[in-house]
Amino acid sequence: VVMVFLTVSFAEVMCALNMRSRTGSIFRREMLQNINWWMVGAVVIAVGMTLAAAFLPGFRGLFGIHGTLSAKELLISVGLALSTLPVFEAGKAIQRAGKKTARTGAK
């Protein structure tokens, strides 16, 4: 249960980061140069609160989280959440290619 909670929470954070642009890559120079520090702060707070809910006894009871989580399981959760990034980037690349094709009139 804890692993699912962390994976879903971290995946949502990754989605928020990736949706700064619906078509532009998160790795574009402009995206990296124009960092939204409010978003970075929100991500840090969200990740911190999620980890607190998963690991601190008082918060665990408050959120009804039972069970333990190993370091390996934590890494798997983070890895699964990060795996959403290539999926989003592939979707954006397909959108950009479709728009480019539509602009050039090619079929």
Side-chain angles (χ1 to χ4, degrees):
V1 173
V2 180
M3 193 171 166
V4 173
F5 170 73
L6 287 176
T7 303
V8 171
S9 181
F10 291 153
E12 288 296 327
V13 169
M14 289 305 303
C15 181
L17 283 173
N18 207 2
M19 285 293 109
R20 287 186 59 206
S21 172
R22 290 187 180 204
T23 57
S25 173
I26 194 172
F27 300 112
R28 280 191 348 223
R29 179 175 289 184
E30 298 85 28
M31 293 288 263
L32 296 173
Q33 288 174 341
N34 300 321
I35 294 174
N36 180 344
W37 292 105
W38 289 105
M39 175 67 90
V40 172
V43 165
V44 168
I45 290 170
V47 169
M49 291 176 68
T50 301
L51 291 173
F55 292 107
L56 297 179
F59 287 108
R60 290 179 70 160
L62 184 67
F63 286 94
I65 297 174
H66 306 286
T68 59
L69 187 73
S70 69
K72 180 181 176 182
E73 291 169 329
L74 176 61
L75 289 175
I76 290 170
S77 293
V78 171
L80 288 171
L82 288 173
S83 72
T84 62
L85 193 59
V87 174
F88 278 114
E89 288 298 316
K92 289 179 182 184
I94 292 168
Q95 279 185 319
R96 287 191 303 270
K99 286 182 180 180
K100 185 176 180 181
T101 303
R103 270 188 264 130
T104 61
K107 292 185 180 182

